[in-house]
Amino acid sequence: PAETLVSMKSFEIPVTEQNIKLFMAYQQNQAQFTDGIQKMFGELQEMVENAQTPEELNKLNALTEELNQIAAPQEQASAEMKNQIDTEQAEQPEKMQKDGETAAGEKVQENSGKEPEKAQQATQKMSVTEQLLSEREAVQTDSLKDTLKSNLKILEENLKNKLFITPEKLAQQGEKAIKESYETLAKTLDKLTESLQNTGEKHSSLMNTAGDLKNNMSFMSDFNQMTAYVQLPMKLGAKEKNGELYVLSRKKKYEKDEVKTAFLHFDMENLGATDIRISLTGSRVSTIFTLDNDASMELVKEHLPQLQERLAALGYHAELKADVTQETKSSFERIIEAEKPQKEVKRYAFDVRA
């Protein structure tokens, strides 16, 4: 659409096919990091389920260990995971041999009870040695699969703890928490794509997902050259949500008494779409909560006095409101409209009789 191209040019975002797709995806609220991260773990789990041989599983296990080096909260946690893996792998040969021999023995006993002709045909098709090797490989594959599933859960927990920001962490660390989250995501994606290329999986769906996430980060970096906007992968209680933070920044520097404005957007499970517009002048805070239904609006209104008291305790004089939105546009579209570069329009009058 021409409007998309004009908006991209006005924000000095490089007009490429990939950026056009992402710009339109943002407008339709379909370019969320949280969805991409969830998809990435889903495809890792699917690769484990679909693996058929010990070789495939060993490759996946090596990839999981590499990613956990990035995600582990500390070196000790990573070392503990490695010790667990080494112990389980050391126990596998003996377990596989016993289970394989038992399974093969049962198979031979089953065949021996058949009619001589059928038993002979079965023996011709597969010798006892071949059966034993087959059963051993099956037991090894199952054992490796169980180990890998366990390691994948550890990786997912560690990585999400780094990527998803809690309100408490955001309040304590602010910009540092956001920066750390993005640095971890970038390192993870780089390591993931490198490992997939090295193992011949560069055309896999997991590689495509990692590529989409990297393109999303690149697009947002370009967008940030003009305006302060970030997605916030948030952990709210037991739920993982995507938030958007936008700071209205027509000026790079503000005078002491100038108004600073920020805009937050969340798609909440119970409240629905929730917009929060915050304006700060000195110690005076004006905040408007805009929700998409009356029930959510009344619930927020009920708790505004409690929020006002907490802000007062921090030294802020707050004016708080809650309302129901009449907007049908996405949060990104409203951000684009709010931050459109303003140009002076000159008007001229001519006297045609002159």
Side-chain angles (χ1 to χ4, degrees), residues 32-34 36-38 40-41 67 70-71 159 162-164 178-193 209-210 212-214 216-217 220 231 233:
Q32 297 187 353
F33 277 132
T34 48
I37 294 166
Q38 296 288 13
M40 181 175 73
F41 281 111
L67 295 180
I70 300 170
L159 196 56
K162 277 200 169 181
L163 294 179
F164 287 87
I178 300 171
K179 184 178 179 182
E180 182 184 274
S181 178
Y182 277 93
E183 286 178 348
T184 300
L185 182 57
K187 288 179 183 177
T188 302
L189 293 173
D190 286 342
K191 177 59 70 176
L192 182 61
T193 51
T209 299
D212 289 343
L213 279 167
K214 290 181 77 170
N216 196 347
M217 291 184 70
M220 198 163 63
Q231 286 192 37

Side-chain angles (χ1 to χ4, degrees), residues 93-109:
E94 182 179 355
K95 182 178 184 297
M96 287 186 293
Q97 182 175 357
K98 288 181 181 178
D99 292 348
E101 289 172 352
T102 301
E106 290 174 353
K107 189 75 175 177
V108 173
Q109 186 177 1

Side-chain angles (χ1 to χ4, degrees), residues 121-168:
Q121 291 174 353
T123 304
Q124 288 172 349
K125 289 180 181 177
M126 180 180 282
S127 68
V128 174
T129 303
E130 289 172 333
Q131 290 183 53
L132 181 59
L133 290 173
S134 177
E135 293 294 342
R136 280 185 180 179
E137 183 171 309
V139 171
Q140 183 184 18
T141 300
D142 290 341
S143 182
L144 281 171
K145 210 171 255 194
D146 289 340
T147 300
L148 187 49
K149 285 178 181 177
S150 174
N151 295 341
L152 200 57
K153 286 182 180 178
I154 295 172
L155 169 64
E156 184 172 1
E157 182 179 352
N158 286 339
L159 196 56
K160 285 185 174 180
N161 282 340
K162 277 200 169 181
L163 294 179
F164 287 87
I165 307 165
T166 63
E168 293 78 15

Side-chain angles (χ1 to χ4, degrees), residues 3-15 23 226 341:
E3 187 179 350
T4 296
L5 299 177
V6 170
S7 294
M8 290 177 67
K9 288 295 287 183
S10 68
F11 282 96
E12 299 182 11
I13 298 171
V15 180
F23 193 93
M226 287 294 293

